[in-house]
Amino acid sequence: MQGNGLQNKRVVVLGGSSGIGLEVAKQAASQGASVVIASSNPERVQKAVASIDGEAQGQAIDVSDERAVATFFSKLGAFDHLVFTAGDSLHLHDLAATDLQQARHAFELRYWAALAAVKYGSPHIRKEGSIVLTTGIAGQRPRKGWVIAASVCGTIEALTRALAVELAPIRVNAVSPGVVRTNLWQNMGAAERERLYESVAKSLPVGRVGEAHEIAQAYLFLMQEGFGTGQTVVVMAAQSWFSGPVVPDWLMV
Ligand SMILES: NC(=O)c1ccc[n+]([C@@H]2O[C@H](COP(=O)([O-])OP(=O)(O)OC[C@H]3O[C@@H](n4cnc5c(N)ncnc54)[C@H](OP(=O)(O)O)[C@@H]3O)[C@@H](O)[C@H]2O)c1
């Protein structure tokens, strides 16, 4: 890949023990970066570090704990790129059935934790470094029942643009995946999950859902290209507006 390259760069991936984040860490390490991954489950972090072929360290940290995030970065030292992929499944309903107190939690990890990571992490980012956040297609292609998911995703996209101005010359971008086969869907039964992937696949020109390694390439591109900032890169197959993915109304990423 052209650009600044990742050789000898230090890349920090919060949410890097699984799915898209782990693939970002693996691909960055394979291109010569030294990676630091963090997530809340110590065993998963350890296992993920062992699966990375290259220079990798890991730390267990709950990124929704602001103090823990501040301490993590104060001890980490300088680095080049911050990637935020921490996320959990959202339980969502039609607006009439949405408990607004519970709905507030949807912003904890995706918005407030991402903001804390940027607040405490950005002072340690070296010249020509970058930040890549994660949003989702719900922001641009909402379906009925996705009011909260769409709000969270739209917020991250607005945050990305605002941070690009606030933190310049550090570049700040986001990746917006469609449905991807990862642990995020693990709270569904295996059969139900496969039915979901199949029904989504049928609505997409490529005939299948995304894989984490495919989405990860967008993060690697954004870290290295050196020019774009404030942008959200959508990685999904085109689909018509009203025949979107058949994700159960109670679950959205
Ligand atoms: N998969 C999709 O279809 C899809 C579609 C659109 C957007 N996205 C977004 O992409 C991002 C990555 O998701 P993924 O699909 O790669 O899911 P994943 O495989 O479940 O990865 C989520 C990561 O977040 C970490 N995490 C969860 N809670 C955390 C916490 N409190 N503190 C620190 N780390 C935490 C998890 O590790 P621990 O469990 O160890 O904490 C894991 O490493 C998420 O923001 C998700 O919403 C995914």
Side-chain angles (χ1 to χ4, degrees):
M1 187 182 285
Q2 297 289 313
N4 296 337
L6 289 176
Q7 190 73 39
N8 300 323
K9 300 289 184 193
R10 195 171 188 217
V11 177
V12 179
V13 187
L14 299 184
S17 70
S18 161
I20 296 167
L22 178 55
E23 283 299 326
V24 171
K26 284 181 177 175
Q27 291 182 21
S30 78
Q31 293 189 22
S34 145
V35 300
V36 180
I37 63 164
S39 82
S40 69
N41 183 306
E43 281 171 29
R44 266 201 283 277
V45 171
Q46 214 175 11
K47 216 173 137 192
V49 167
S51 76
I52 296 170
D53 191 8
E55 203 182 325
Q57 288 174 277
Q59 190 170 325
I61 168 183
D62 176 355
V63 295
S64 60
D65 177 345
E66 183 182 343
R67 272 195 195 173
V69 172
T71 306
F72 170 78
F73 283 111
S74 70
K75 292 181 177 169
L76 190 67
F79 62 97
D80 299 283
H81 301 284
L82 172 63
V83 173
F84 190 92
T85 55
D88 51 3
S89 300
L90 296 182
H91 293 254
L92 301 172
H93 313 274
D94 284 350
L95 184 58
T98 299
D99 175 333
L100 295 186
Q101 283 305 321
Q102 197 187 40
R104 287 169 193 259
H105 288 297
F107 286 82
E108 284 301 331
L109 198 52
R110 287 176 173 71
Y111 176 74
W112 290 109
L115 191 62
V118 172
K119 175 176 175 178
Y120 296 106
S122 58
H124 305 282
I125 294 179
R126 293 186 187 117
K127 197 168 173 276
E128 296 183 5
S130 79
I131 296 169
V132 189
L133 304 177
T134 305
T135 177
I137 200 61
Q140 294 178 18
R141 291 290 179 99
R143 287 176 62 88
K144 187 168 159 49
W146 291 9
V147 170
I148 304 302
S151 305
V152 175
C153 292
T155 301
I156 298 299
E157 290 174 28
L159 174 68
T160 300
R161 288 188 289 272
L163 289 173
V165 174
E166 176 88 12
L167 299 178
I170 295 174
R171 291 178 305 106
V172 186
N173 294 295
V175 174
S176 176
V179 173
V180 188
R181 188 188 297 273
T182 68
N183 286 345
L184 203 74
W185 301 101
Q186 236 175 10
N187 61 351
M188 298 172 88
E192 192 186 358
R193 191 167 57 239
E194 283 311 314
R195 275 200 300 279
L196 162 72
Y197 290 154
E198 275 172 33
S199 74
V200 172
K202 278 184 195 149
S203 73
L204 300 175
V206 294
R208 62 179 178 80
V209 298
E211 300 292 339
H213 68 88
E214 295 167 323
I215 312 301
Q217 291 180 30
Y219 293 77
L220 265 79
F221 167 73
L222 289 169
M223 281 189 257
Q224 295 176 80
E225 47 84 10
F227 182 61
T229 188
Q231 305 302 310
T232 295
V233 172
V234 177
V235 187
M236 72 167 291
Q239 62 190 175
S240 68
W241 188 269
F242 290 110
S243 64
V246 190
V247 180
D249 281 350
W250 52 267
L251 179 70
M252 183 53 205
V253 288

